[in-house]
């Protein structure tokens, strides 16, 4: 199921928006999808930690880190917490760290880059608000689908023969 997005685009072209191809795959789950929860934060992953500590039940966390790669918004500890709480994946408009460990984890993770520096922890950030990056506005409650071909977003759940 590594090529899910081309089929979804063919079947639902009028319902999807494609994020610009800026993201790298880091998690072991190369194909993932789910209902979106969002967070906007800059160089402070406090809100990311709060969200992945809640039940994810197949959801995808979309993190708008403003595109900065000076500090990592997720590392192996937060990825493990996301798995423990049932999150399907995380898309980060920013950096991650512990890429080697995350690469062995059953979690979808897409980010711009890696950076070994951890974030500040001041509790800053906004949760469940619209975020805009890579040419697309992503709203809480949208549906995100990702594979090795990229990332797409839809306002409604999409059907596909492999689901």
């Amino acid at each position: 199921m590594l090529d899910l997005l081309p089929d979804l685009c063919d079947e639902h072209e009028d319902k999807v928006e494609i994020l610009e191809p800026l993201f790298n795959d880091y998690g072991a789950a190369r194909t993932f999808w789910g209902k979106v929860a969002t967070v906007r934060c800059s160089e402070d992953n406090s809100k990311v930690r709060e969200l992945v500590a809640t039940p994810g039940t197949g959801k995808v966390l979309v993190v708008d880190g403003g595109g900065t790669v000076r500090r990592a918004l997720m590392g192996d500890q937060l990825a493990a917490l996301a798995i423990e709480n049932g999150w399907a994946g995380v898309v980060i408009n920013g950096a991650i760290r512990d890429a080697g460990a995350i690469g062995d984890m059953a979690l979808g993770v897409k980010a711009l880059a890696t950076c070994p520096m951890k974030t500040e922890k001041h509790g800053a950030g906004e949760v469940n608000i619209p975020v805009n990056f890579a040419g697309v506005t992503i709203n809480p409650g949208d549906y995100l689908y990702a594979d090795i071909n990229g990332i797409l977003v839809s306002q409604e759940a999409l059907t596909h023969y492999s689901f």
Side-chain angles (χ1 to χ4, degrees):
M1 193 156 41
L2 293 177
D3 292 314
L4 171 66
L5 266 57
D7 292 339
L8 287 176
C9 286
D10 291 350
E11 294 170 26
H12 305 282
E13 182 176 357
D14 59 331
K15 297 179 184 174
V16 302
E17 293 188 80
I18 306 297
L19 275 69
E20 294 169 1
L22 308 171
F23 299 88
N24 298 302
D25 286 297
Y26 292 104
R30 298 296 180 150
T31 302
F32 61 97
W33 63 87
K35 198 169 191 176
V36 169
T38 63
V39 61
R40 180 184 300 135
C41 56
S42 181
E43 299 188 10
D44 182 339
N45 69 355
S46 301
K47 298 296 182 185
V48 175
R49 175 177 289 283
E50 285 177 23
L51 282 175
V52 297
T54 65
T57 16
K59 291 181 186 173
V60 175
L61 181 58
V62 175
V63 180
D64 184 1
T68 182
V69 293
R70 294 182 302 194
R71 294 191 179 261
L73 294 173
M74 174 175 271
D76 61 344
Q77 292 177 2
L78 293 188
L81 191 56
I83 292 168
E84 180 181 319
N85 286 299
W87 290 86
V90 182
V91 174
I92 300 175
N93 183 31
I96 67 157
R97 68 189 210 160
D98 303 314
I102 289 173
D104 292 331
M105 296 180 167
L107 180 69
V109 178
K110 287 188 176 275
L112 297 178
T114 60
C115 176
M117 185 64 68
K118 68 181 179 178
T119 68
E120 299 291 327
K121 307 256 189 306
H122 300 292
E126 299 171 273
V127 174
N128 285 326
I129 58 162
V131 296
N132 185 296
F133 58 85
V136 175
T137 297
I138 305 169
N139 295 291
D142 283 351
Y143 291 83
L144 184 142
Y145 301 82
D147 71 9
I148 60 173
N149 296 286
I151 304 168
L152 69 79
V153 176
S154 174
Q155 292 181 352
E156 60 187 68
L158 304 175
T159 58
H160 183 49
Y161 66 87
S162 65
F163 293 167

